[in-house]
Amino acid sequence: MYEIRIHSRGGQGGVTAAKLLALAAFRDGKHATACPFYGAERRGAPVVSFVRIDDEPIKVYSQIHEPDLVIVLDTSIMDVVDVLDGLRADGEVLLNSAHPLPGCNGTCRYVDLTGIALAENLVIAGSPILNTPVLGALAKMGVVTLPSAEQAIREMFTDERNVKAARAAYEELKV
Amino acid sequence: MLTIATGNKAVADAVKAAKPGVIAAYPITPQTEIVEQIAEYVTAGDLESRYVPVESEHSAMAACIGASVAGVRTFTATSSHGLLYMHEMVHWAAGARLPIVMANVNRALGPGWNTWAEHTDAFSQRDTGWLQVFVGTVQEAYDATLMAFKIAEDERVLLPMMVNLDGFALSHITQSLDTVEIGDFLPPYHLPHAIDTENPCGYGPMTGPADYFRFRWDIERSMRDARGVIAEVEREFAERFGRSYGPTEDYRCEDADVIVVAMGTLGKEAEVAIDRLRDEGIKAGSMRLRWFRPFPDLDLAGRDVVVIDRDYSFGFGGVVAHAIRSKTGIEPYSVIAGLGGQEVTYNDIADFVRNRRPGTETWFGVSDHV
Amino acid sequence: MTNIVERSVTNLSAIPKEEYLYKCTSACAGCSSSLCLRYVLKAAGPDTVLVVPACCTSVIQGIYPGTAMNVPVYNVAFAAAAACASGMSEAFSAMGRETNVIAYAGDGGTVDIGIQALSGAFERGTNFLYICYDNEAYGNTGMQRSGSTPLGARTTTTPGGKPTAKKDLDRIIAAHNPPYMATACSAYPLDLYKKVKKALSIEGPKFIHILAPCPPGWRYPTEKTVEMGKLAVKTGTWILYEREFGKLSISGPSRAAMKRPAPLEDYIRGQGRFKNLDPATLDLMRQQVRQNIERIAREEEGVC
């Protein structure tokens, strides 16, 4: 079972990113679950979502304590949340960042999802949309296939710019 | 159609397929998405129901009662405090023999405010005369909601039914969902005692002890008959749609020395714990209790039993542990866990089995073997 | 629904002879609310369902399996009448049926425990008629004070007289802007009959507030029950009016009474519940009656 933890702030689309990722994995023929962890938080507070992908039906409902992959949609969270907590020794990290961050080395990747969203003018209520471009980056990392990522985005959104943004992230991410 | 959905969306989709005449509901976390989705279906014309946006849960159930007896299929959804607020009408619905279907998204009760999973809300309605089923997956939430209408509306039952799903853990998780073309699975709504102004009757007037007592026995008789109806409907559902359910979901129980009994999502998580324990050579199995009312007969003889209660009856014990004890005579190891959404993993459940002490009670993470 | 021609009834003999409330009720001697119900049902006719919360009518209809009612009566919990009627009305509408749904509730079930459901049903625009028959206390349980009990009235829970005024239910209802609302009184059955007819000819939430004097509760001889209602109107304590789409018109019997109201003492004197009323309370009651008359008169003139 492949376990992913997504860190974001309320309103940034982390919950939808988890759903999109599960849908893409599902379209790849895998079993997948997406589960947001809801606290009493409101817009702007750090939130976490969990995605599990497996070849077998998934019966686990508890939180992910030892993720294979950590995704950080807002690196400012790293000041207040230990995003690497429990990360497996062979685990990976994907940051929404234009630059590598100090202390985050090895299997830590970064891609400027915010810049990609802004370039496509993917903005809702003043916030760049991160949940669709991140799917492209995850496709590049091999978590899901690119066709399934695109299909999942089209199933949930009608605006084709979301697919373009995902492709841009796919191109930009270095692996 | 095969897709993915949350538990809440699955319930709303089943309601859409069942086409109730009237849906009356009031929002409450974590159930709100059900009524939001239904309101969207009604507004878009995908569901031809009357959506009555009542001002409280008490009124939600009262409106369902009025609509049901007038002669249409009805549905509502609630959770936690909402369920408790409608408690009086929950009794009324069963006493009035109205096959109302309600989704209850299990949630803890304040104070303090806590919106996470717990079963105390549903168990507080234990003695109302409602059928109660607890589901463990998004697919099952859909299937059980569809079946609920058929079971409740069966003339041998004519009692309301509650479909319980764990708050957030199931209501908000996204899993695969296979929606079906229900065809004639649900017959048209027919209530033998529906209001007929050409044949006026009094409903629920003052009633003396002899008649009142007989009416209560009628409820229990129907509750007993419901076991057979449930089995019939679950069998028909399996034949038509290929998914079968029973009073419990048993996992690796055949040769088990110890069986974990749990409900809802913890009952599914327990299956992962069982696999781990089996790998260690411990012959463990799990029994996810689906039906709470009518309470099924359980085959647990000769085994150790670990009961996980996501509830508590203060001054007495875990509600499920007590039910197991009184129904089977077995003294279980009673674990109280997951209250207010407490995190309980398959590793924890495996530990409950390893450290079991039948006859004692443990408040997980708080107080052991008390 | 009834058309305009059918509602024009000018004398009691024009009221249908059909009875929907039989003579075998369990009502108290001199009960005015059962008298009202008789006329309400005559106006509504047979295609009517009555929704009744806990109140005197729960008892008046008789004990199972008997019933004094010749229309379906749905008995429901105390706070639930308006909500239950909401669901029923929606269901009938969904089935294409035009059955009248009438909630018939006492004052406790309306102004106190039932007011939330009532307010919700009116805000939602439910197509039904809500009738509150007001005997100004919890009569069914032996006369405890309700929010509708008037200032100074002794009840079993206000043995020294109620220290606060009667809740102004009608202004609460008016704040929902219903298409039709009216007051009525058991002593004026023709007026009540016409108002029920008119209410049922209008789509949406309708409200009628009936003052229903209660011999055991108000402590007056049973044979005075009609007279007590007349005195309530003649003294201006109870004003008969209707408000159709926001336009208020004062009904005949009150029109005269408001110009020259009879002394309040005429109404109070015969009621044991107002025994030993202190002069200050009586004075306050007079002021309230006067203010009420002025307010209603101003509204009809279009001044307020």
Side-chain angles (χ1 to χ4, degrees), chain B residues 253-265:
Chain B
C253 282
E254 300 80 18
D255 62 338
D257 299 326
V258 53
I259 290 178
V260 175
V261 177
M263 300 177 82
T265 52

PDB file of all heavy atoms in Angstrom, chain B residues 253-265:
ATOM      1  N   CYS B 253     -13.210 -16.082  10.579  1.00  0.00           N
ATOM      2  CA  CYS B 253     -13.753 -16.510  11.871  1.00  0.00           C
ATOM      3  C   CYS B 253     -13.784 -18.038  12.040  1.00  0.00           C
ATOM      4  O   CYS B 253     -13.883 -18.533  13.163  1.00  0.00           O
ATOM      5  CB  CYS B 253     -15.177 -15.977  12.061  1.00  0.00           C
ATOM      6  SG  CYS B 253     -15.227 -14.242  12.528  1.00  0.00           S
ATOM      7  N   GLU B 254     -13.755 -18.782  10.902  1.00  0.00           N
ATOM      8  CA  GLU B 254     -14.059 -20.218  10.957  1.00  0.00           C
ATOM      9  C   GLU B 254     -13.266 -20.947  12.040  1.00  0.00           C
ATOM     10  O   GLU B 254     -13.821 -21.647  12.873  1.00  0.00           O
ATOM     11  CB  GLU B 254     -13.785 -20.888   9.599  1.00  0.00           C
ATOM     12  CG  GLU B 254     -14.589 -20.331   8.438  1.00  0.00           C
ATOM     13  CD  GLU B 254     -14.025 -19.042   7.879  1.00  0.00           C
ATOM     14  OE1 GLU B 254     -12.846 -18.752   8.156  1.00  0.00           O
ATOM     15  OE2 GLU B 254     -14.749 -18.304   7.182  1.00  0.00           O
ATOM     16  N   ASP B 255     -11.955 -20.786  12.029  1.00  0.00           N
ATOM     17  CA  ASP B 255     -11.120 -21.540  12.968  1.00  0.00           C
ATOM     18  C   ASP B 255     -10.565 -20.636  14.066  1.00  0.00           C
ATOM     19  O   ASP B 255      -9.595 -20.959  14.733  1.00  0.00           O
ATOM     20  CB  ASP B 255      -9.946 -22.184  12.211  1.00  0.00           C
ATOM     21  CG  ASP B 255      -9.049 -21.138  11.562  1.00  0.00           C
ATOM     22  OD1 ASP B 255      -9.555 -20.010  11.337  1.00  0.00           O
ATOM     23  OD2 ASP B 255      -7.874 -21.427  11.293  1.00  0.00           O
ATOM     24  N   ALA B 256     -11.187 -19.469  14.250  1.00  0.00           N
ATOM     25  CA  ALA B 256     -10.605 -18.475  15.165  1.00  0.00           C
ATOM     26  C   ALA B 256     -10.775 -18.870  16.630  1.00  0.00           C
ATOM     27  O   ALA B 256     -11.800 -19.419  17.023  1.00  0.00           O
ATOM     28  CB  ALA B 256     -11.235 -17.121  14.914  1.00  0.00           C
ATOM     29  N   ASP B 257      -9.739 -18.594  17.409  1.00  0.00           N
ATOM     30  CA  ASP B 257      -9.812 -18.769  18.864  1.00  0.00           C
ATOM     31  C   ASP B 257     -10.320 -17.489  19.526  1.00  0.00           C
ATOM     32  O   ASP B 257     -10.853 -17.513  20.628  1.00  0.00           O
ATOM     33  CB  ASP B 257      -8.416 -19.065  19.442  1.00  0.00           C
ATOM     34  CG  ASP B 257      -7.822 -20.355  18.882  1.00  0.00           C
ATOM     35  OD1 ASP B 257      -8.619 -21.283  18.632  1.00  0.00           O
ATOM     36  OD2 ASP B 257      -6.588 -20.405  18.680  1.00  0.00           O
ATOM     37  N   VAL B 258     -10.073 -16.381  18.844  1.00  0.00           N
ATOM     38  CA  VAL B 258     -10.494 -15.093  19.410  1.00  0.00           C
ATOM     39  C   VAL B 258     -11.134 -14.273  18.292  1.00  0.00           C
ATOM     40  O   VAL B 258     -10.634 -14.231  17.161  1.00  0.00           O
ATOM     41  CB  VAL B 258      -9.303 -14.341  20.066  1.00  0.00           C
ATOM     42  CG1 VAL B 258      -8.126 -14.212  19.111  1.00  0.00           C
ATOM     43  CG2 VAL B 258      -9.732 -12.954  20.560  1.00  0.00           C
ATOM     44  N   ILE B 259     -12.254 -13.649  18.631  1.00  0.00           N
ATOM     45  CA  ILE B 259     -12.985 -12.871  17.624  1.00  0.00           C
ATOM     46  C   ILE B 259     -13.174 -11.429  18.114  1.00  0.00           C
ATOM     47  O   ILE B 259     -13.586 -11.201  19.259  1.00  0.00           O
ATOM     48  CB  ILE B 259     -14.351 -13.520  17.321  1.00  0.00           C
ATOM     49  CG1 ILE B 259     -14.116 -14.841  16.567  1.00  0.00           C
ATOM     50  CG2 ILE B 259     -15.245 -12.583  16.496  1.00  0.00           C
ATOM     51  CD1 ILE B 259     -15.347 -15.613  16.240  1.00  0.00           C
ATOM     52  N   VAL B 260     -12.833 -10.493  17.231  1.00  0.00           N
ATOM     53  CA  VAL B 260     -13.045  -9.075  17.533  1.00  0.00           C
ATOM     54  C   VAL B 260     -14.421  -8.684  17.005  1.00  0.00           C
ATOM     55  O   VAL B 260     -14.713  -8.893  15.827  1.00  0.00           O
ATOM     56  CB  VAL B 260     -11.971  -8.202  16.847  1.00  0.00           C
ATOM     57  CG1 VAL B 260     -12.267  -6.718  17.075  1.00  0.00           C
ATOM     58  CG2 VAL B 260     -10.579  -8.558  17.353  1.00  0.00           C
ATOM     59  N   VAL B 261     -15.257  -8.146  17.881  1.00  0.00           N
ATOM     60  CA  VAL B 261     -16.565  -7.637  17.457  1.00  0.00           C
ATOM     61  C   VAL B 261     -16.509  -6.118  17.501  1.00  0.00           C
ATOM     62  O   VAL B 261     -16.192  -5.534  18.544  1.00  0.00           O
ATOM     63  CB  VAL B 261     -17.698  -8.154  18.362  1.00  0.00           C
ATOM     64  CG1 VAL B 261     -19.035  -7.539  17.946  1.00  0.00           C
ATOM     65  CG2 VAL B 261     -17.771  -9.675  18.321  1.00  0.00           C
ATOM     66  N   ALA B 262     -16.752  -5.490  16.358  1.00  0.00           N
ATOM     67  CA  ALA B 262     -16.750  -4.026  16.293  1.00  0.00           C
ATOM     68  C   ALA B 262     -17.771  -3.595  15.262  1.00  0.00           C
ATOM     69  O   ALA B 262     -18.280  -4.418  14.489  1.00  0.00           O
ATOM     70  CB  ALA B 262     -15.361  -3.502  15.933  1.00  0.00           C
ATOM     71  N   MET B 263     -18.075  -2.292  15.236  1.00  0.00           N
ATOM     72  CA  MET B 263     -19.072  -1.775  14.301  1.00  0.00           C
ATOM     73  C   MET B 263     -18.486  -0.654  13.458  1.00  0.00           C
ATOM     74  O   MET B 263     -17.527  -0.001  13.848  1.00  0.00           O
ATOM     75  CB  MET B 263     -20.298  -1.266  15.066  1.00  0.00           C
ATOM     76  CG  MET B 263     -20.961  -2.362  15.888  1.00  0.00           C
ATOM     77  SD  MET B 263     -22.345  -1.767  16.871  1.00  0.00           S
ATOM     78  CE  MET B 263     -23.653  -1.778  15.646  1.00  0.00           C
ATOM     79  N   GLY B 264     -19.093  -0.440  12.302  1.00  0.00           N
ATOM     80  CA  GLY B 264     -18.699   0.669  11.449  1.00  0.00           C
ATOM     81  C   GLY B 264     -17.287   0.525  10.928  1.00  0.00           C
ATOM     82  O   GLY B 264     -16.810  -0.585  10.662  1.00  0.00           O
ATOM     83  N   THR B 265     -16.588   1.651  10.784  1.00  0.00           N
ATOM     84  CA  THR B 265     -15.260   1.628  10.167  1.00  0.00           C
ATOM     85  C   THR B 265     -14.255   0.858  11.022  1.00  0.00           C
ATOM     86  O   THR B 265     -13.335   0.240  10.483  1.00  0.00           O
ATOM     87  CB  THR B 265     -14.737   3.057   9.939  1.00  0.00           C
ATOM     88  OG1 THR B 265     -14.822   3.790  11.164  1.00  0.00           O
ATOM     89  CG2 THR B 265     -15.555   3.773   8.879  1.00  0.00           C
TER      90      THR B 265
END
